[in-house]
């Protein structure tokens, strides 16, 4: 049973990281590794000690728009770079969007009220295949764009 949970969580983490990476690579000029890292940031709540309790539990504080907005504002304040800020917003936003569709959902209006999700199996086999296919598709399209733009920006040498 524990082994199944490790596999399930590993696939879930990989999915969040891949979706974040693909979105940042596809829609920003920032380093795509930002998407990898910030796509996983909300699940840092797995590291909270069990004794802490709400809202420091899985799908608690770190899975709220308040938390995501705070991180985005802090990143902008520190870096003053719109592309990096957009990358962070896309990565964390994708994580919250995916998790919000599960049965537990995320608390959209934290700390005012608890909200539930529609109950989709967001880390089940079908959703995982859909998310991986979309992400890899976005990476393929983006790679084509990059190759075409690098051909354009690499003119014949003039003598
Ligand atoms: Zn999560």
């Amino acid at each position: 049973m524990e082994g199944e949970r490790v596999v399930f969580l590993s696939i879930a983490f990989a999915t969040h990281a891949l979706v974040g990476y693909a979105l940042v690579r596809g829609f920003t000029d920032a380093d795509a590794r930002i998407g990898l890292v910030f796509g996983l940031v909300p699940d840092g709540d797995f590291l909270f000690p069990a004794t802490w309790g709400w809202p420091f539990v899985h799908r608690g504080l770190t899975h709220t728009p308040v938390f995501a907005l705070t991180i985005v504002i802090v990143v902008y304040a520190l870096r003053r770079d719109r592309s990096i800020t957009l990358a962070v917003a896309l990565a964390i936003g994708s994580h919250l969007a995916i998790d919000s569709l599960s049965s537990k959902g995320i608390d959209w209006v934290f700390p005012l009220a608890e909200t539930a999700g529609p109950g989709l199996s967001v880390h089940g086999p079908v959703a995982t295949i859909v998310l991986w296919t979309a992400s890899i598709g976005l990476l393929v399209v983006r790679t084509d764009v990059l190759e075409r733009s690098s051909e354009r920006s690499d003119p014949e040498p003039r003598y």
Side-chain angles (χ1 to χ4, degrees), residues 16 42-43 58-59 63 95 99:
H16 283 304
D43 280 345
H58 180 53
R59 299 255 178 103
H63 285 72
H95 189 118
D99 282 0

Side-chain angles (χ1 to χ4, degrees), residues 11 19 63 159:
I11 293 171
V19 170
H63 285 72
Y159 297 101

Side-chain angles (χ1 to χ4, degrees), residues 1-155:
M1 194 64 178
E2 187 61 27
E4 281 178 34
R5 183 165 165 74
V6 169
V7 169
F8 176 84
L9 287 176
S10 298
I11 293 171
F13 292 154
T15 300
H16 283 304
L18 175 64
V19 170
Y21 183 90
L23 287 172
V24 170
R25 177 85 189 266
F27 297 111
T28 77
D29 294 324
D31 186 334
R33 290 174 295 183
I34 291 172
L36 210 68
V37 172
F38 283 88
L40 287 171
V41 159
D43 280 345
D45 58 12
F46 276 105
L47 302 174
F48 293 155
T51 54
W52 285 7
W54 178 260
F56 303 102
V57 297
H58 180 53
R59 299 255 178 103
L61 179 64
T62 63
H63 285 72
T64 63
V66 170
F67 174 81
L69 196 59
T70 302
I71 296 293
V72 169
I73 289 170
V74 167
V75 166
Y76 184 73
L78 293 175
R79 299 301 302 265
R80 300 278 174 187
D81 183 313
R82 287 183 183 186
S83 190
I84 291 173
T85 306
L86 175 62
V88 169
L90 281 172
I92 293 185
S94 71
H95 189 118
L96 297 191
I98 291 168
D99 282 0
S100 73
L101 298 174
S102 70
S103 55
K104 188 171 188 323
I106 66 164
D107 284 334
W108 283 106
V109 290
F110 173 88
L112 303 176
E114 290 186 22
T115 51
L120 298 180
S121 178
V122 293
H123 292 302
V126 173
T128 298
I129 289 169
V130 168
L131 290 169
W132 279 66
T133 302
S135 298
I136 291 168
L138 180 57
L139 290 172
V140 168
V141 168
R142 179 61 179 171
T143 302
D144 287 353
V145 170
L146 289 176
E147 282 171 3
R148 268 187 261 124
S149 65
S150 70
E151 286 166 12
R152 274 199 306 266
S153 63
D154 193 21

